[in-house]
Amino acid sequence: MRMVFTAVPDDVFYPAQERLAAAVERWARKQRRDVDPFVIEALVEHRWADGDGLLCRWQPEDLREALCDWFPRRVNLTAQETSALLASVHTFVDFLFAEDLADARCAEPPTLHALIDEVAAEVAAAMRDEGRYGPAKFWTMRMLAAGVDIDDPQQTQRYIDDLHAGRIEVDQRLLDRVMANHEHAMGNDRPPPVPPADVPTDAETAALAASSVMLGRIRGFADWVGAGRPLTTTGRLPLADAAELIPMLGLADELDPVIGDKVSKTRSTDELYETSVVFAWAKAARVVRVVKGRLLPVKVAARLLADPAALAHRAFEAFFGLREAVCPAGYAASVIGWRFEEATFALGMALYVAREPVSVRELGDLAFAVAGEAAFIDTEAPDARPLRHACDDDLAALLEQLALLGVVELQPGHAALSPLGFALFADHLRRQGVTVPTLENLLTETAEVVIAHAADAPPAVGDALLDRWRQADPGIATKELLALAARTDDPNHRRLAETYARATDRAPARKLHSIGERRPRRPNRRGPR
């Protein structure tokens, strides 16, 4: 039976959830143990939706979170069903170990059973406290208590109409607690994990960063600032300084350019795009600062400037705040500028997950959708085309600056993350609390975790992961893979495990995995959780 569901879609998880609950119910019946399959479904759904998807690996803190928060807040069970809830979780723990489904990193049964008993009173109190409910559970339980069949749309609508008409009394203070609890819980939600990537080591990251064009410009700019430089009264670089910087840093800007047969006089460094970007980026990366009309070095940044990897991480984090420099409004609206940080993150995530070149057209669709939300724009409407063209211009500028940093590799009509880009974006995700598996840290994982990640990864990444994992300890790897092949009910995982169990250094397995057909998600029979 498959027990690892990290970052899988609904139509993969829900059929497996149902099979697992049915297996627990069959085992409990033979053992004459109490179990409610609905409790098992809710427990493992929590581990998939809000956790790491490792249904085979439980620690006391995992059960505490599920029992003391998830069930009271989300699961439609009454306080009277608390005893059945706890008994079902006890049964689930014993099922995992009896059926050899708990993995090597799962806490032992006595530890897990002790936690369930320890929190029993807390769970019972939380299940009685309506203020601990989320909004969906609050109203569902209210409707059930009123005799409403929540599967009947007409009855549900009548209840809602009566509520809006004031014919149903509600304690506003209680409702305020429900909403406050919901907002607090949403603020604590963990981001979903991402697929594994072959992220460069720190030493490799430093070597890649050393050849970054933009990092060279930032270092050169900091050196040029020296002990300090005066700015204009409006806080800009003087044009004379720009004339010095442009050739020194290899910028494409041109002072007083000739357009046609006329000279277009440059009036401000705001008109010099690349100069403005370097100036803004150096300030955002905190290697220079403005004090009383002068541009000064940041003394503590000297060590940073001498460390290519550290400077790369600092510069990448600073990029998310460069809206006005990278996408200036100019004569028209800057569309990506409406939601620059969000659009930049969405683009980075798309490239990170894709692991291969993505068409600029697709990236433009994504950026326009993210930016359009800020102005409630129907991005499909004909009158949105001028804004789409503006968005595409912004996207080209954004990608070009990331390419200069060395994060993005540009090809005709396509863009991809560079190795340096993978290193910097993986670190950025970790700063956001996202679980970011890498091939390196998966080498010590169990067979099922490795197989699950490899099966969902692009072939090159999955093959590299399995080759390196198997070669770390071929004997143990073969034993674990054969055991997994014998117990999993996922045909792709079984085929992959069997093939790599037979692989040798002379005959390595290559490009073996593919995703099978997905089955549709079953309907939610018990209402919202």
Side-chain angles (χ1 to χ4, degrees), residues 27-59:
W27 181 86
R29 190 181 304 119
K30 291 179 183 178
Q31 303 298 319
R32 297 184 179 181
R33 297 280 299 273
D34 293 328
V35 72
D36 180 349
F38 176 65
V39 169
I40 306 304
E41 290 182 358
L43 179 66
V44 298
E45 181 173 351
H46 167 54
R47 192 61 186 270
W48 165 70
D50 287 0
D52 54 18
L54 303 184
L55 311 187
C56 52
R57 184 180 301 173
W58 296 83
Q59 294 298 325

Side-chain angles (χ1 to χ4, degrees), residues 30-364:
K30 291 179 183 178
Q31 303 298 319
R32 297 184 179 181
R33 297 280 299 273
D34 293 328
V35 72
D36 180 349
F38 176 65
V39 169
I40 306 304
E41 290 182 358
L43 179 66
V44 298
E45 181 173 351
H46 167 54
R47 192 61 186 270
W48 165 70
D50 287 0
D52 54 18
L54 303 184
L55 311 187
C56 52
R57 184 180 301 173
W58 296 83
Q59 294 298 325
E61 56 268 24
D62 300 320
L63 287 182
R64 178 184 292 276
E65 181 181 357
L67 292 171
C68 298
D69 177 65
W70 172 261
F71 277 92
R73 181 165 53 92
R74 299 286 299 275
V75 184
N76 297 331
L77 294 171
T78 65
Q80 290 71 31
E81 296 173 287
T82 301
S83 296
L85 160 62
L86 297 173
S88 295
V89 179
H90 276 300
T91 298
F92 177 70
V93 169
D94 289 334
F95 164 81
L96 287 180
F97 285 87
E99 296 298 296
D100 197 27
L101 295 175
D103 81 358
R105 301 185 184 184
C106 185
E108 291 299 316
T111 301
L112 298 177
H113 288 308
L115 182 281
I116 299 169
D117 292 336
E118 176 187 324
V119 301
E122 182 180 348
V123 175
M127 295 293 285
R128 288 193 301 270
D129 184 358
E130 287 185 291
R132 297 283 297 273
Y133 295 178
K137 178 177 179 178
F138 179 82
W139 291 114
T140 298
M141 299 302 286
R142 282 294 177 103
M143 284 190 279
L144 291 173
V148 175
D149 181 355
I150 61 173
D151 293 322
D152 184 332
Q154 292 183 337
Q155 289 191 37
T156 301
Q157 189 58 51
R158 279 199 299 270
Y159 183 90
I160 294 173
D161 292 342
D162 288 342
L163 180 66
H164 289 165
R167 291 187 289 270
I168 297 175
E169 292 186 6
V170 180
D171 184 339
Q172 188 59 48
R173 287 179 297 180
L174 175 60
L175 192 57
D176 290 343
R177 283 183 59 205
V178 169
M179 295 309 299
N181 179 48
H182 173 68
E183 291 173 6
H184 176 74
M186 293 300 100
N188 290 335
D189 275 356
R190 289 174 291 194
V194 295
D198 195 359
V199 176
T201 64
D202 291 344
E204 291 168 338
T205 299
L208 293 166
S211 61
S212 164
V213 172
M214 184 55 70
L215 294 182
R217 289 178 177 179
I218 291 174
R219 283 193 296 269
F221 185 85
D223 289 341
W224 172 82
V225 168
R229 297 270 182 166
L231 297 174
T232 68
T233 56
T234 55
R236 295 172 173 83
L237 289 172
L239 287 172
D241 285 351
E244 185 179 343
L245 283 167
I246 288 170
M248 186 182 79
L249 300 180
L251 306 180
D253 293 329
E254 183 180 356
L255 286 166
D256 301 335
V258 177
I259 302 175
D261 58 354
K262 294 184 179 180
V263 174
S264 178
K265 186 69 174 176
T266 304
R267 294 178 173 82
S268 165
T269 50
D270 282 353
E271 300 172 33
L272 303 174
Y273 179 74
E274 290 199 352
T275 305
S276 297
V277 169
V278 173
F279 179 36
W281 214 329
K283 289 190 295 181
R286 305 192 302 282
V287 300
V288 297
R289 61 194 180 110
V290 176
V291 179
K292 296 181 179 179
R294 286 183 62 81
L295 190 61
L296 300 175
V298 175
K299 293 182 180 179
V300 294
R303 185 177 297 177
L304 176 75
L305 290 165
D307 185 338
L311 181 59
H313 285 289
R314 175 77 67 82
F316 183 68
E317 293 301 316
F319 183 80
F320 290 88
L322 295 182
R323 175 182 63 83
E324 293 181 2
V326 174
C327 295
Y331 294 106
S334 169
V335 175
I336 287 183
W338 294 336
R339 296 187 71 178
F340 182 84
E341 183 175 353
E342 295 89 339
T344 300
F345 180 83
L347 294 167
M349 181 63 83
L351 294 172
Y352 188 90
V353 172
R355 305 291 198 274
E356 58 188 13
V358 178
S359 76
V360 174
R361 179 70 188 180
E362 290 181 59
L363 295 175

